[in-house]
Amino acid sequence: KTKPILVVGATGKLGSRIVDKLNQRAIPHRCLVRPSSPNFDKIQQQCSSGVGQIFEGDLSNSDDVRDAVCSDGGIGGCICVSGSFRKRKIRDLVRWGKSNIRDTSHPYIVNHLGMQYLCEAMDELNDTRSIDEVKGGSQQQSSPKLVKVSGVLLSLPKWHYVNLLGNLLYSGVLRWHRKGERDVIDSGIPYTILRPGSFRDDTEYGHLKRGLIISEDGAVKPTLRVKKPMIGIDDLAQVCIDCLDSSMESNGKVLYPRWVTE
């Protein structure tokens, strides 16, 4: 039986396209979704095709994450496209220390702590399967892979003004995304990290596309004017699904998918 793919961040534009593509290919999947999400009804309808399943919960709750990853035999892989982009609030300036952060929309919770919970749950699933395989004498299965989507701006040096302004105005968003990437790399689970440029609607901007590149050398240059590459949402959704294949050369790498526009 094919194990389902867990999609985290399914209510966003990219996550919704990924679910659409999984539905089109009849690939079993489950989505970890907050009931309070404004797009909850939409994703519920998308998952009514028979191959999708909703797990109500929050990335900030380790039990919710473990349930989505490990229940009913576990998952075959995970695509995480979640991320918080929250303006800094005045109370952030008077609450020093991570222990004082309670807002579940804060980038520390979503981009960093949530990634820790996800990696821990996937590692726990791998350990459970290994024990079961030894006891049953069955052939060892490949470990579920995590595909995480962050952004091309993480390739900039920490001292670059874009990083400094982004972290100052948006609650350390880039800092916590970096921490989240490090959580994945240090976890020991199979992974691919994707750092795409600006998302574009394929229909509206498709005429600019001359090709699609997925490489390890797509970092933006730390110049005064940072020029971000672009990529269509549909193309990026397909790249996410393709990278789940653990046999691909993408395993254990940070990649930069982008359109060729010139």
Side-chain angles (χ1 to χ4, degrees):
K1 183 180 178 180
T2 303
K3 299 292 184 184
I5 303 303
L6 173 63
V7 182
V8 181
T11 55
K13 288 184 178 180
L14 176 57
S16 179
R17 298 291 178 93
I18 290 171
V19 173
D20 281 339
K21 288 184 176 294
L22 293 173
N23 279 331
Q24 291 166 10
R25 295 166 60 176
I27 298 175
H29 56 278
R30 56 179 63 166
C31 303
L32 178 63
V33 183
R34 289 179 290 109
S36 60
S37 171
N39 293 326
F40 182 81
D41 291 340
K42 178 184 177 182
I43 196 66
Q44 202 168 32
Q45 186 175 5
Q46 284 180 287
C47 288
S48 64
S49 61
V51 293
Q53 185 180 10
I54 294 286
F55 275 71
E56 295 186 16
D58 198 304
L59 197 58
S60 65
N61 187 307
S62 59
D63 291 332
D64 291 345
V65 175
R66 186 181 298 107
D67 186 40
V69 170
C70 300
S71 65
D72 300 327
I75 59 175
C78 176
I79 301 175
C80 181
V81 296
S82 65
S84 174
F85 194 74
R86 165 191 177 277
K87 288 185 178 180
R88 186 177 291 276
K89 300 178 181 180
I90 294 177
R91 66 171 177 265
D92 296 339
L93 302 176
V94 296
R95 285 186 171 183
W96 299 104
K98 294 177 287 188
S99 61
N100 290 322
I101 297 176
R102 297 288 183 267
D103 184 353
T104 56
S105 68
H106 195 287
Y108 164 71
I109 301 290
V110 180
N111 303 350
H112 174 39
L113 192 62
M115 291 310 304
Q116 284 186 341
Y117 292 155
L118 188 56
C119 291
E120 289 169 0
M122 293 185 69
D123 190 47
E124 180 182 322
L125 176 63
N126 290 338
D127 290 343
T128 302
R129 284 183 178 170
S130 298
I131 293 172
D132 292 342
E133 286 158 1
V134 170
K135 288 181 178 179
S138 58
Q139 185 178 1
Q140 186 174 2
Q141 305 176 38
S142 58
S143 299
K145 183 178 180 181
L146 172 60
V147 176
K148 172 174 170 52
V149 177
S150 52
V152 71
L153 290 180
L154 295 186
S155 65
L156 289 170
K158 294 180 181 179
W159 48 261
H160 193 275
Y161 80 93
V162 171
N163 263 310
L164 297 176
L165 279 176
N167 287 326
L168 176 65
L169 299 176
Y170 295 99
S171 306
V173 58
L174 297 174
R175 174 193 179 193
W176 298 122
H177 258 312
R178 278 198 180 85
K179 292 281 190 180
E181 286 191 350
R182 179 49 56 184
D183 293 331
V184 174
I185 293 170
D186 292 342
S187 68
I189 61 177
Y191 73 88
T192 296
I193 293 173
L194 299 175
R195 289 178 172 178
S198 300
F199 299 174
R200 292 289 185 265
D201 183 89
D202 298 72
T203 303
E204 184 177 353
Y205 291 87
H207 65 282
L208 299 175
K209 178 184 174 182
R210 302 292 180 267
L212 176 66
I213 294 179
I214 306 172
S215 67
E216 297 178 64
D217 60 353
V220 292
K221 297 179 180 179
T223 54
L224 185 61
R225 183 181 179 185
V226 176
K227 184 179 180 181
K228 290 199 298 181
M230 66 176 67
I231 185 171
I233 296 177
D234 279 342
D235 279 345
L236 181 55
Q238 189 59 55
V239 170
C240 291
I241 295 172
D242 291 343
C243 283
L244 282 172
D245 186 350
S246 294
S247 64
M248 288 182 62
E249 293 183 359
S250 64
N251 198 31
K253 293 181 179 179
V254 177
L255 301 176
Y256 297 85
R258 62 197 186 277
W259 275 354
V260 178
T261 57
E262 298 177 354

